[in-house]
Amino acid sequence: AAAKRAADSLEEWIKSQAVKGSKQIFLFNLKKKLATVGEARGMAELFLERIRETSDRLEAVAMAENKTDERSVYHIQTSCLVLAAFRVLTEQLHLSKADAITSIRQCLGDSDSLGEKAVAEAVKLSSRVMVTAMRGDESSFLVKTAYNMSQLDFGESFHVQHTDDASQHIATVKRCFYHDFFSKHAASELTREIFCRADEALFEKSTGFDLQKLKDKGVFQVDGTLASGGNTCRFIINKGRGGGGGLAGGGTARASAIARKGSGDR
């Protein structure tokens, strides 16, 4: 019981640090990026302030309209920063959409706070401990990681339904905050090009497995996504299909894509 209380306390601290740290790191990275953009040279701080102001306005509205548990606050904050940066880069600094997305993706890729990195580590450790205790196989690891990511990362602004039988585990994302937010602001490409891709990279980094190899083996399938026009995101883990699909051996990235998109049955 004492260990569980300590683990719960650590989890809450991790979540709060992720929210606090990542915003400042992203803005720091973006300032360096702005210094390399022709029209912003010598005025990086001015354009950064415009991004901050735009993000703050967007965040105030989003906070009033959405769930505000700690993970949801992180997702709101990140989305508002990305949209604000995208608008300034394309509308004021006249970057193409593709170049703006690339710049934002690079800044996000280096913006994980210690807390955000710890979220990924906590998910990986929790999955491995539980599967070892259960003497589980590769598919058990993937399924447990899917559940753990739902609990640790998504928050109440996502809704995912898990179904499980002897042959498959299916995670169906019925609500994705990123999809809702960027569709509302006529920037749906940011969901697909930044957040869907970031999810895959994050899960490969945090689990050590190659998602594409798992897809090639038929262990992991993506059966439609909200970002591509589907009614849901549907991620499938096929059980009993040979392992070893990872960068570090064994096939886990499966849990990857499933994970970030939902938040457990609600």
Side-chain angles (χ1 to χ4, degrees):
K4 173 122 181 10
R5 286 195 299 272
D8 289 345
S9 177
L10 175 61
E11 179 184 322
E12 290 307 311
W13 179 84
I14 287 171
K15 291 177 181 178
S16 66
Q17 292 305 302
V19 173
K20 292 176 182 177
S22 292
K23 180 175 185 177
Q24 296 307 316
I25 299 172
F26 174 77
L27 289 171
F28 176 78
N29 291 336
L30 190 58
K31 183 178 179 180
K32 291 192 292 183
K33 179 65 66 176
L34 287 170
T36 69
V37 176
E39 293 187 43
R41 284 192 183 127
M43 297 187 293
E45 190 61 51
L46 170 65
F47 286 103
L48 192 69
E49 186 57 33
R50 291 178 182 176
I51 291 170
R52 282 197 195 97
E53 291 173 354
T54 302
S55 177
D56 287 347
R57 288 195 298 271
L58 290 166
E59 192 172 321
V61 174
M63 292 284 281
E65 295 178 345
N66 294 278
K67 301 285 188 180
T68 54
D69 57 287
E70 284 198 271
R71 289 312 293 167
S72 296
V73 169
Y74 172 79
H75 298 309
I76 289 170
Q77 170 187 278
T78 305
S79 298
C80 292
L81 282 169
V82 165
L83 181 58
F86 183 71
R87 286 179 174 174
V88 169
L89 289 172
T90 57
E91 296 171 9
Q92 299 182 31
L93 294 174
H94 308 109
L95 267 65
S96 69
K97 288 185 176 182
D99 286 344
I101 286 171
T102 297
S103 295
I104 292 168
R105 192 186 295 137
Q106 290 169 346
C107 292
L108 277 178
D110 294 330
S111 69
D112 288 348
S113 65
L114 290 176
E116 194 64 16
K117 290 175 182 176
V119 169
E121 286 300 315
V123 171
K124 180 170 64 175
L125 177 60
S126 179
S127 297
R128 290 182 177 175
V129 167
M130 282 192 288
V131 172
T132 298
M134 296 170 60
R135 294 185 173 86
D137 58 11
E138 178 188 75
S139 63
S140 297
F141 182 77
L142 299 176
V143 171
K144 286 297 180 185
T145 303
Y147 280 120
N148 288 339
M149 291 300 294
S150 294
Q151 295 166 359
L152 285 171
D153 189 33
F154 305 137
E156 296 179 11
S157 54
F158 289 75
H159 179 196
V160 61
Q161 182 179 44
H162 294 275
T163 58
D164 192 87
D165 61 31
S167 63
Q168 290 184 325
H169 179 89
I170 301 174
T172 303
V173 182
K174 298 185 174 182
R175 183 192 177 198
C176 167
F177 171 77
Y178 293 124
H179 172 73
D180 291 347
F181 179 83
F182 290 112
S183 295
K184 175 183 176 180
H185 291 284
S188 57
E189 65 268 37
L190 298 181
T191 304
R192 180 182 62 255
E193 296 299 328
I194 293 181
F195 291 98
C196 293
R197 291 179 61 167
D199 284 350
E200 293 186 359
L202 171 64
F203 293 119
E204 289 187 335
K205 181 171 65 176
S206 63
T207 61
F209 292 88
D210 188 324
L211 184 58
Q212 187 57 52
K213 288 182 180 179
L214 292 177
K215 290 179 180 178
D216 293 342
K217 290 179 178 226
V219 176
F220 178 59
Q221 293 175 261
V222 180
D223 184 19
T225 65
L226 289 161
S228 62
N231 293 324
T232 63
C233 299
R234 195 164 179 265
F235 303 103
I236 304 169
I237 299 169
N238 291 306
K239 300 178 182 179
R241 301 236 181 153
L247 302 171
T252 305
R254 171 114 226 115
S256 312
I258 293 180
R260 184 115 175 177
K261 290 295 181 189
S263 75
D265 294 338
R266 295 188 184 281

